[in-house]
Amino acid sequence: MYTISRFSQLCKMSPRMLRHYDKEELLKPLHVDETNGYRYYEKSQLETALLINKLKEYRFSLPEIKTILQTSDRKFFIEFIHSKINELSNEVNRYRQIIAEMQEMIEKKEEIIRGKRRTYDILLGMRNEVSIISQSLQIHIADMDKYIDSIYAKAEENHIQLLGAPSVLFLDEEFTPDNSNIELMIPK
C-alpha cells in the first residue's frame, strides 16, 4: 500500500487533489486509518488515477469523469468521447475565428484608429422552412436580371409555381461587381 504522499508522487496529483477526489467519490483510498486519518492507496488504483488525469487533460468535468468511471458500457464511453471531440472541435473553430478577426484587426489597425468601421445590418428572427429553386452563379452583377428571368422561364416550362420574390446570397467576402459569386433563390 502507498501513503497519500507516495501515491500523489506516482500519479502526479497533489494530496489535496486526492482528498478532493475522495470527497467527490472519484478515487477513494483503499483504507483510511481511523486513529490518524491517513489515507492509503494500492497499486491497482494508479490506473484509475492516471485515467482521471488523462480525462481532465481532455477537458472532461469532474461529474463527467465520475460518470465515465462508474459505467462499464463501452458503447456509452465511445459516444461520450465522440461528444467531447465535437465539443472541442467547435471550440477550436471558435478560437480560429477569433484569431482571424484579431489578425484582421491588426491589418486594419489604421482604419480602426481613424474611426472607420464597417457597418452591418443584422436581422434577427425565425423563418419557416421553404422550398426554393436556386442557381449558383459567378456573374457580373449587371446581368442578374437576365438570370432571374431565366429561372422564371424554366419554372414555367416545368409547371412549377413560384411563390415569392427572388433573393440573392452573396458568397464572396468582399463585393466585386464584375465577378460576384452568388446563390440566386426563388421560393416555390
Side-chain angles (χ1 to χ4, degrees), residues 152-167:
Y152 277 106
K154 285 179 189 174
E156 190 174 323
E157 225 176 76
N158 293 302
H159 308 289
I160 298 171
Q161 183 179 3
L162 299 176
L163 303 174
S167 59

Side-chain angles (χ1 to χ4, degrees), residues 107-159:
E107 291 167 9
K108 298 192 176 192
K109 176 182 166 190
E110 292 146 15
E111 290 180 18
I112 293 170
I113 291 171
R114 291 188 203 131
K116 295 180 184 176
R117 293 198 175 125
R118 291 185 192 173
T119 58
Y120 298 94
D121 290 332
I122 299 173
L123 305 172
L124 299 176
M126 298 291 291
R127 291 185 170 215
N128 294 330
E129 193 172 299
V130 175
S131 296
I132 60 167
I133 292 179
S134 71
Q135 187 174 12
S136 296
L137 303 163
Q138 197 158 3
I139 63 169
H140 190 288
I141 205 70
D143 298 332
M144 191 177 314
D145 287 343
K146 176 174 66 173
Y147 288 100
I148 292 172
D149 292 341
S150 75
I151 289 179
Y152 277 106
K154 285 179 189 174
E156 190 174 323
E157 225 176 76
N158 293 302
H159 308 289

Side-chain angles (χ1 to χ4, degrees), residues 12 26 34-35 49 51-52 72 78 83 107 117-118 121 126 146 168 171-172 177:
K12 296 182 175 36
L26 284 173
E34 291 186 24
T35 56
L51 178 59
I52 290 170
S72 59
I78 290 170
S83 172
E107 291 167 9
R117 293 198 175 125
R118 291 185 192 173
D121 290 332
M126 298 291 291
K146 176 174 66 173
V168 176
L171 303 172
D172 298 314

Side-chain angles (χ1 to χ4, degrees), residues 166-179:
S167 59
V168 176
L169 180 64
F170 290 87
L171 303 172
D172 298 314
E173 280 189 39
E174 298 290 331
F175 176 74
T176 51
D178 16 334
N179 191 19

